[in-house]
Amino acid sequence: MSDIITVTNLKKTYGDFTAVDSINLIVHQGETFGILGPNGAGKTTTLEMMEGLKSITSGTVILDGKDVTTHTRDVKSVIGVQLQSSTFFDGLNLKELIETFAALYNQEADAMELLREVQLEEKAKSMVKELSGGQKQRLSIAVALVNKPKVLFLDEPTTGLDPQARRNLWDLINQIKGGGVTIIITTHYMEEAEVLCDRIAIMDNAKVIALDTPNGLLKLADVGTTIACHVDKKVEASALKQLPNINGMEVHDQSFSLNTHKPELTLPALFTFAKEHGIALHDVQVHQATLEDVFLKLTGRKLRD
Ligand SMILES: Nc1ncnc2c1ncn2[C@@H]1O[C@H](COP(=O)(O)OP(=O)(O)O)[C@@H](O)[C@H]1O
Ligand SMILES: [Mg+2]
């Protein structure tokens, strides 16, 4: 797989404050690459430096073989950047809006085809202010696709959307990826990163603290699987410790949870143990580790406090 973006020792400072601290990233052509982190981590600043929209304090970004700082125009001609819909001109309907952006980019664009791609065909004659939040986000993606970009940048595209609209946008992002576009997306939703991204850089306090595939991150943090259940009477920790492959546990009066790397061994042993000791297990839940657990393990904090 060839690389389309190489970020080397990228840094942004504002006076004494470091917003992005010497980060290194390589993005492969055709992948969906996520930057996941809490508010203030430095995601937007990183993205805007990669796009050539924000000046770089030090380090380099090479995109499609061009240095973003010295060849900003070349870079801008091969990228699509999702703008916030609030910045769209009033007084134009969706079709006119797309045609206006196409003219700005000197591009031949089939406005109706683009609107169809983002499922806004029926809204072609509507004004932006008549759209729902999810529809506005889809429109801003259509506008970002006007210049047929090789790389599409999406900055928290689903923040504030309801679950259904978020899922629709995930489908759209996967559809665009299917067309061969490389996608860089920032998010503070770990499930979004997990669902959409081939690889994820986790950012915290201006630094990239981990970078891997979703599965690789889960393995790296080594957080295991949690088995939780309710019981009628307290089960002692000393008894539970005899079960195989237990890494940790939490025991309460009417419930306990076990952490294991081998749920396929621990679970049947737990059922046998319960039967032998006359313990009724209720609401048995098996919780596989998520990126939220990875973040907690890496930083000691939750992603969203
Ligand atoms: N123009 C600016 N001047 C000073 N600090 C800034 C400026 N822009 C962003 N920051 C700070 O840089 C940090 C990273 O911001 P940002 O990249 O927007 O984070 P994120 O997108 O991950 O929420 C934040 O602490 C933010 O307050
Ligand atoms: Mg941001």
Side-chain angles (χ1 to χ4, degrees), residues 139-150:
L139 172 65
S140 66
I141 290 175
V143 168
L145 293 175
V146 160
N147 68 331
K148 302 178 187 74
K150 287 186 182 176

Side-chain angles (χ1 to χ4, degrees), residues 11-66:
K11 192 165 181 172
K12 180 74 184 180
T13 56
Y14 296 104
D16 291 342
F17 180 76
T18 303
V20 175
D21 195 358
S22 304
I23 67 168
N24 295 287
L25 306 171
I26 287 174
V27 178
H28 304 318
Q29 187 146 16
E31 75 176 338
T32 299
F33 186 93
I35 302 178
L36 173 70
N39 283 332
K43 303 182 297 295
T44 297
T45 309
T46 299
L47 219 60
E48 290 182 346
M49 288 192 286
M50 291 167 81
E51 296 160 352
L53 290 178
K54 185 162 269 172
S55 69
I56 291 172
T57 303
S58 61
T60 54
V61 176
I62 308 294
L63 191 151
D64 197 30
K66 302 280 177 8

Side-chain angles (χ1 to χ4, degrees), residues 4 34 60 62 73 82 119 158 160 166 170 193 198 221 249 262:
I4 189 149
T60 54
I62 308 294
R73 284 176 76 93
Q82 185 192 19
Q119 288 177 31
T158 69
R166 173 168 301 150
W170 291 352
D198 297 300
M249 63 175 72
K262 296 228 182 279

